[in-house]
């Protein structure tokens, strides 16, 4: 009889006889995750089953205990909602310029994320972070992808190609430039295209209008060709030959050169050229017919890369209309 009692006592001591239920709730008492039931021996150490819940942060614990002692109410881990800081992804070219707007990855706190390169630019990727995965936290995290988007190829254009502006159009000193020159091409003007290049990255075509003046084919322009074209006729239907009263630009002279000789106007005799009191300033009623000669004192280059001829009477003509 005594042996049986001893066996029962040993069996009772050896089993897990304390149960503690751990609950996961928000500050309003709403359940956030399934509860966990812990079992253990009386007074044994209790290891708390912490849980990471996306979008929440642990704020307090109710009925906390570190050992197994009877607790019919259980333990409550109380979480507050918390907004995670965004993950910002930058996409730049090899010059450090952004090729698209920064991407903002958002998600719940502690939720995993993965930063990725632009799908359309993967073939141009040259540098990227070693690890592009992580979890949203309360701190802003940043990633940067670098692409070689400056690759360009010559683009074949039709012979005697021209463009006509349908609005004021920005121009650049190099293809794919980010900062336009100070003055755009005026509305409803016609320009000859000398060559073109195409960006490999986005297939944008850039037209060269002579010197360091480039315009994107994506601008508000119309392109056309002239079958019968002579080098003497730099432009057809001179756009500045019409009466223009609303053109006014601020400019500065960046270079000048003395000429002091007679030159011929390139247009045919049925066309005439607008003269200006100052470049892009007041238009003078007196005009010069094509084929006639004028005396040029000097050439002035403005900061928009246009070149003007100063005549002996002090008036100005754009040099592209002269046989210099």
């Amino acid at each position: 009889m005594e042996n049986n009692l001893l066996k029962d006592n040993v069996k009772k001591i050896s089993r897990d006889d304390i149960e503690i239920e751990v609950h996961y709730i928000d500050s309003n008492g709403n359940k956030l995750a399934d509860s966990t039931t812990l079992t253990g021996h009386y007074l044994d150490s209790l290891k708390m089953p912490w849980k990471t819940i996306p979008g929440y942060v642990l704020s307090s614990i109710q009925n906390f205990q570190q050992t197994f002692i009877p607790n019919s109410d259980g333990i409550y881990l109380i979480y507050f909602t918390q907004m995670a800081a965004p993950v910002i992804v930058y996409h730049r070219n090899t010059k450090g310029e952004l090729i698209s707007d920064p991407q903002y990855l958002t998600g719940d706190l502690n939720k995993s994320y993965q930063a990725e390169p632009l799908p359309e630019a993967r073939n141009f990727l040259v540098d990227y972070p070693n690890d592009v995965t992580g979890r949203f936290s309360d701190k802003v995290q940043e990633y940067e992808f670098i692409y070689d988007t400056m690759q360009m190829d010559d683009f074949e254009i039709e012979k005697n190609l021209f463009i006509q502006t349908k609005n004021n159009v920005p121009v650049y000193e190099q293809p794919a430039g980010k900062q336009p020159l100070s003055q755009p091409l005026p509305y409803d003007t016609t320009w000859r295209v000398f060559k073109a290049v195409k960006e490999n990255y986005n297939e944008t075509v850039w037209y060269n209008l002579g010197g360091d003046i480039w315009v994107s084919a994506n601008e508000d322009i119309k392109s056309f060709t002239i079958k019968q074209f002579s080098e003497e006729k730099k432009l057809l239907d001179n756009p500045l030959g019409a009466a223009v009263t609303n053109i006014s630009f601020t400019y500065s002279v960046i270079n000048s050169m003395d000429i002091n000789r007679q030159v011929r106007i390139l247009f045919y005799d049925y066309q005439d050229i607008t003269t200006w009191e100052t470049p892009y300033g007041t238009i003078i009623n007196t005009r010069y017919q094509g084929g006639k000669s004028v005396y040029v004192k000097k050439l002035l280059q403005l900061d928009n890369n246009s070149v003007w001829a100063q005549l002996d009477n002090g008036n100005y003509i754009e040099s592209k209309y002269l046989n210099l």
Side-chain angles (χ1 to χ4, degrees):
M1 186 68 175
E2 291 180 357
N3 290 338
N4 290 336
L5 288 175
L6 182 60
K7 290 180 179 179
D8 289 341
N9 289 336
V10 171
K11 182 178 181 180
K12 184 176 181 180
I13 293 172
S14 64
R15 67 185 176 86
D16 293 338
D17 57 354
I18 304 295
E19 290 187 353
I20 305 294
E21 189 169 12
V22 180
H23 305 273
Y24 306 90
I25 62 173
D26 64 16
S27 57
N28 295 319
N30 299 312
K31 178 181 176 181
L32 298 178
D34 293 337
S35 59
T36 300
T37 300
L38 304 177
T39 58
H41 299 300
Y42 180 70
L43 295 182
D44 276 358
S45 177
L46 184 151
K47 185 177 181 180
M48 191 65 65
W50 311 108
K51 280 190 178 181
T52 297
I53 302 177
Y56 293 84
V57 59
L58 181 64
S59 62
S60 62
I61 304 175
Q62 184 176 324
N63 300 334
F64 178 73
Q65 59 189 73
Q66 295 179 295
T67 58
F68 279 94
I69 56 176
N71 179 0
S72 59
D73 292 332
I75 300 172
Y76 287 82
L77 303 185
I78 303 172
Y79 294 77
F80 281 177
T81 57
Q82 180 172 337
M83 293 294 294
V87 175
I88 307 177
V89 184
Y90 299 98
H91 303 278
R92 303 181 185 275
N93 60 24
T94 52
K95 291 185 176 181
E97 301 165 335
L98 287 173
I99 63 172
S100 71
D101 292 335
Q103 292 180 314
Y104 289 82
L105 307 182
T106 58
D108 293 332
L109 190 70
N110 299 317
K111 187 177 181 180
S112 61
Y113 66 81
Q114 178 172 337
E116 296 183 347
L118 295 172
E120 68 273 17
R122 288 181 181 272
N123 294 338
F124 302 91
L125 190 63
V126 293
D127 193 15
Y128 50 89
N130 293 329
D131 187 7
V132 294
T133 60
R135 292 185 178 275
F136 290 101
S137 71
D138 59 351
K139 294 181 174 58
V140 174
Q141 302 173 76
E142 297 178 322
Y143 292 86
E144 189 172 78
F145 293 88
I146 307 298
Y147 310 82
D148 183 8
T149 62
M150 307 308 291
Q151 304 171 25
M152 295 191 186
D153 290 326
D154 290 337
F155 184 76
E156 186 176 353
I157 58 175
E158 297 182 82
K159 187 178 180 181
N160 300 335
L161 179 66
F162 288 77
I163 64 165
Q164 183 178 12
T165 59
K166 301 168 68 177
N167 206 331
N168 288 344
V169 174
V171 290
Y172 302 80
E173 63 180 357
Q174 61 184 5
K178 296 299 181 182
Q179 186 65 37
L181 298 175
S182 58
Q183 302 298 338
L185 299 181
Y187 163 71
D188 197 28
T189 56
T190 304
W191 306 80
R192 186 185 178 190
V193 178
F194 292 92
K195 64 179 180 179
V197 296
K198 184 175 74 171
E199 296 182 58
N200 292 338
Y201 165 58
N202 56 18
E203 298 188 344
T204 298
V205 174
W206 289 82
Y207 295 133
N208 177 256
L209 308 182
D212 295 326
I213 300 179
W214 295 83
V215 61
S216 168
N218 295 334
E219 296 292 348
D220 196 6
I221 61 176
K222 179 181 71 175
S223 61
F224 61 95
T225 59
I226 300 175
K227 292 183 179 179
Q228 294 182 347
F229 170 78
S230 67
E231 287 298 328
E232 285 190 342
K233 195 174 183 182
K234 297 297 182 184
L235 297 175
L236 288 190
D237 300 327
N238 175 15
L240 297 182
V244 181
T245 59
N246 61 348
I247 296 181
S248 179
F249 294 93
T250 301
Y251 65 90
S252 60
V253 176
I254 61 174
N255 197 8
S256 66
M257 180 175 63
D258 293 331
I259 297 295
N260 293 316
R261 62 184 173 87
Q262 293 282 344
V263 297
R264 187 168 56 87
I265 296 176
L266 292 172
F267 284 79
Y268 297 137
D269 54 10
Y270 63 86
Q271 295 174 312
D272 53 17
I273 303 302
T274 302
T275 57
W276 307 72
E277 188 173 285
T278 59
Y280 298 127
T282 301
I283 293 177
I284 298 174
N285 291 331
T286 302
R287 302 190 180 201
Y288 293 90
Q289 291 185 338
K292 301 296 183 180
S293 293
V294 292
Y295 189 88
V296 176
K297 295 176 60 178
K298 66 171 57 179
L299 295 179
L300 302 178
Q301 183 181 10
L302 307 187
D303 55 8
N304 68 345
N305 286 319
S306 64
V307 178
W308 293 77
Q310 184 186 38
L311 307 183
D312 58 349
N313 60 7
N315 297 331
Y316 291 83
I317 293 177
E318 285 196 81
S319 65
K320 59 188 177 184
Y321 306 133
L322 303 175
N323 184 25
L324 292 167

